[in-house]
């Protein structure tokens, strides 16, 4: 599959073990703007992926963020070129998970979440045969790989980049995951909002249903 971040495309290929010559065959495509329709179309047409994973994401306060416009461009391109699978990496707080956002930060992040919500809706209504929306909790660097999925819109917690990668790879091969929206967090970083966000204590059960992967 082909994955797109804010600044570049890159493919899910393992690093080469056969020296620089072999590695050069898997060189990353040039950087470009995800909102540039011509650039995106040429790159996807050249790659001809069977699936696209969109990791496009901006920051709070960035008026040039591409959470909606970039994803809309990529979704249109995927549809036009016959890509059958599309995974959108969104955030907890988008769509019907707005209530999961901690109260003190809600006002600050809502404009960003509105863009992500528009992208989610656009993907659902696009006509792409198989889509999957993954709402990730706040991401952290580290070795946390106890990631879980839930359809509960109030699930909240952090997720490692390693855990996010594992969930994406798992979902690509699981037929039951398509055409659905899930929140993903690390089971060791679950937070509870009642009436404020706090870490889940070790003796407490996870307070929402979990989807088995």
């Amino acid at each position: 599959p082909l994955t797109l971040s804010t600044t570049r495309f890159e493919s899910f290929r393992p690093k080469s073990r056969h020296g620089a010559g072999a590695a050069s065959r898997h060189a990353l495509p040039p950087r470009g703007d995800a909102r540039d329709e011509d650039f995106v179309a040429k790159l996807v047409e050249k790659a001809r992926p069977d699936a696209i994973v969109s990791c496009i994401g901006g920051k709070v306060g960035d008026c040039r963020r591409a959470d909606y416009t970039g994803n809309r461009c990529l979704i249109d391109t995927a549809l036009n070129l016959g890509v059958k699978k599309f995974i959108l990496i969104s955030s907890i707080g988008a769509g019907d998970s707005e209530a999961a956002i901690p109260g003190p930060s809600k006002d600050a992040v809502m404009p960003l979440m509105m863009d992500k919500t528009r992208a989610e809706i656009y993907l659902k209504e696009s006509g792409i045969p198989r889509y999957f929306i993954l709402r990730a909790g706040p991401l952290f660097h580290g070795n946390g790989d106890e990631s879980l999925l839930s359809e509960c819109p109030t699930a909240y917690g952090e997720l490692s980049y390693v855990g996010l990668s594992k969930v994406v790879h798992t979902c690509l091969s699981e037929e039951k995951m398509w055409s659905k929206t899930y929140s993903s967090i690390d089971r060791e970083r679950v937070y509870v909002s009642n009436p404020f966000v706090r870490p889940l204590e070790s003796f407490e059960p996870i307070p929402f249903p979990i989807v088995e992967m």
Side-chain angles (χ1 to χ4, degrees), residues 134-209:
L134 181 63
R135 294 173 179 161
L139 295 168
F140 67 92
H141 292 282
N143 295 323
D145 59 359
E146 295 295 321
S147 51
L148 58 84
L149 290 178
S150 177
E151 293 185 89
C152 177
T154 58
Y156 187 80
E158 297 177 333
L159 179 67
S160 71
Y161 286 94
V162 173
L164 175 60
S165 177
K166 287 186 176 182
V167 170
V168 169
H169 280 275
T170 298
C171 292
L172 279 168
S173 59
E174 289 283 349
E175 290 296 324
K176 66 180 181 180
M177 298 297 183
W178 296 106
S179 302
K180 293 186 179 181
T181 301
Y182 294 105
S183 295
S184 184
I185 57 181
D186 191 294
R187 65 177 64 245
E188 301 296 331
R189 302 259 187 149
V190 177
Y191 286 78
V192 180
S193 299
N194 188 23
F196 53 87
V197 173
R198 62 177 177 80
L200 190 73
E201 300 291 342
S202 60
F203 59 85
E204 295 179 293
I206 293 176
F208 48 81

